[in-house]
Structures are given as C-alpha cells and as structure tokens.
C-alpha cells in the first residue's frame, strides 16, 4: 500500500503482552461482565444498558451484573440512564480501577465488552488497545466493528452489529455458554503471535529483508 505516493507497510497497534497478568479462569452462579475505558460516547456502553433494559422486560430476571470501570464524559449519563430505567441494581460503577484491584475484576468477570460505539466516529474497523489487553489477559469479549486479525476462528470473540441497537443479551449469553471455559491460554498466545510488538516489528523486518 501507499501513503502520499510513498510505499507504506500496514502494522497493527502493538502491546507488551507480558506486561499484562493472565486472567484466572472462573465461572460462578452470578455472572460478572466487564466494561472499561475513559467512558466516552464511542465506547457505546449505553447500548449495554439498553440491552439490560430489554432483557429484563423479556425475562424479568437478570442473572448477571455489569461492571463499568473508569471515569469520563459520559459516566454520569450512564449512571442516570440505568437509574431512570430501574436497572441500576445490575450495574456497578466503581470509577477508576488500577493495579491488583483491576486484576481482580478481570479474574471475576466471565467476559468483557470492547468499544461498541466506534461507528459514531465513522470508523470502519477497530484498533483499540482495549481489545489487545483483553486478548493478552485471556478474557473473551464482544465487539462491533471488525478488528484486523480477528476472524471466525477466534471463537472467544463475538461480533455484534455496529449500530445503535441494544446489545442482544440472549445472543451474547448463548455465545458465552458455548465457548471453551479455559480459552485464556489460546487468547494470550494469539496476542503474542499477532499483536505483540515483537510480531509487528517482525513483519517490518521481514519486509525489509533484515530478518
């Protein structure tokens, strides 16, 4: 490919995979779900709240809790949205979480949501560091816009519609029940092979004929 007529090489956002602690596999009677970020509108977590509202209307009982970690411009709006709809009991907004406390959230949550509102920025694919961290830690996740490098072979990832529709928790929960319980090692290995800085610089070096 070319940029301004100059030959260019496409590299993905890379991370230091070894810097992330591997999630401890756990499944409990009360499913915990993770959302995290600096809470902007393009994270699309309002779609998650809408999905919980819809699920409660259809099933009456909500057998899970959503942990929305972080602070940002839309945090108060998300709390208000959940409160006004009468579903705040199914949400936890602990604010900014780091270190061992963050590790503990990853350990207790079954799966996570990536950014679900990137279409609001008129993007066509996702290159968030969040998705890389989820892979490195070994937590299955749900995403909307295509992620280069993630395809149908990645059964620990579920792609949903990139629009304003509520998250379909019936579909999401069915996917989660059917994925391998101990897929964390596969996810972490996939992160090393596809999203580590070593893998990305390896592509560059091979292209230049250095490696």
């Amino acid at each position: 490919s070319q940029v301004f007529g100059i030959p260019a090489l496409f590299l993905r956002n890379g991370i230091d995979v070894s810097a992330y602690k591997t999630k401890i596999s756990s499944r409990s009677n009360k499913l915990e779900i993770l959302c995290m970020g600096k809470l902007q509108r393009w994270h699309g977590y309002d779609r998650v709240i809408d999905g919980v509202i819809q699920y409660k209307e259809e099933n009456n009982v909500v057998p899970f809790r959503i942990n929305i970690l972080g602070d940002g411009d839309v945090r108060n709006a998300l709390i208000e949205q959940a409160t006004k709809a009468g579903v705040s009991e199914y949400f936890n907004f602990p604010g900014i979480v780091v270190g061992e406390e963050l590790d503990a959230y990853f350990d207790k949550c079954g799966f996570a949501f990536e950014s679900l509102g990137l279409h609001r920025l008129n993007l066509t694919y996702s290159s968030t560091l969040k998705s890389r961290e989820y892979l490195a830690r070994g937590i299955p996740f749900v995403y909307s816009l295509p992620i280069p490098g993630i395809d149908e072979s990645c059964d620990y990832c579920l792609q949903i519609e990139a629009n304003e529709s509520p998250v379909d928790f019936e579909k999401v929960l069915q996917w989660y029940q059917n994925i391998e319980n101990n897929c964390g090692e596969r996810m972490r290995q996939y992160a090393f092979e596809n999203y580590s800085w070593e893998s990305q610089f390896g592509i560059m070096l091979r292209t230049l004929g250095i490696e």
Side-chain angles (χ1 to χ4, degrees), residues 7 17 26 34 36 56 59 68 115 118 120 122 142 160 190:
V17 176
S26 63
L34 181 68
M36 58 181 289
K56 184 182 179 184
N59 298 275
I68 301 183
S115 299
L118 293 174
R120 296 170 182 173
N122 296 319
V142 178
I160 63 173
Y190 197 84

Side-chain angles (χ1 to χ4, degrees), residues 167-200:
V167 170
D168 182 350
F169 273 97
E170 295 282 1
K171 176 181 179 180
V172 170
L173 294 177
Q174 183 178 22
W175 157 77
Y176 176 65
Q177 291 300 322
N178 289 330
I179 60 175
E180 177 189 358
N181 189 21
N182 297 311
C183 60
E185 292 184 8
R186 286 197 296 125
M187 295 183 70
R188 190 170 178 84
Q189 184 60 36
Y190 197 84
F192 272 117
E193 294 174 356
N194 294 275
Y195 298 104
S196 66
W197 282 119
E198 292 85 352
S199 69
Q200 294 306 297

Side-chain angles (χ1 to χ4, degrees), residues 92-159:
N92 174 37
F93 292 88
I96 297 173
V97 178
V98 298
E100 292 182 357
E101 186 180 1
L102 177 61
D103 293 339
Y105 271 102
F106 273 97
D107 288 344
K108 76 176 182 178
C109 289
F111 67 90
F113 284 105
E114 203 229 1
S115 299
L116 303 180
L118 293 174
H119 61 279
R120 296 170 182 173
L121 299 176
N122 296 319
L123 299 178
T124 56
Y125 66 90
S126 169
S127 60
T128 68
L129 293 178
K130 195 193 323 289
S131 61
R132 276 67 167 162
E133 179 174 357
Y134 288 166
L135 284 166
R137 287 183 177 269
I139 185 168
F141 65 92
V142 178
Y143 66 103
S144 55
L145 283 184
I147 302 174
I150 298 295
D151 55 32
E152 293 180 356
S153 68
C154 303
D155 58 324
Y156 39 72
C157 299
L158 174 68
Q159 184 175 13

Side-chain angles (χ1 to χ4, degrees), residues 37-40 69-73 75-76 95-96:
K38 292 186 178 179
L39 303 187
Q40 303 295 325
L69 280 54
D71 199 358
D73 294 342
R75 182 172 183 265
N76 289 338
I96 297 173

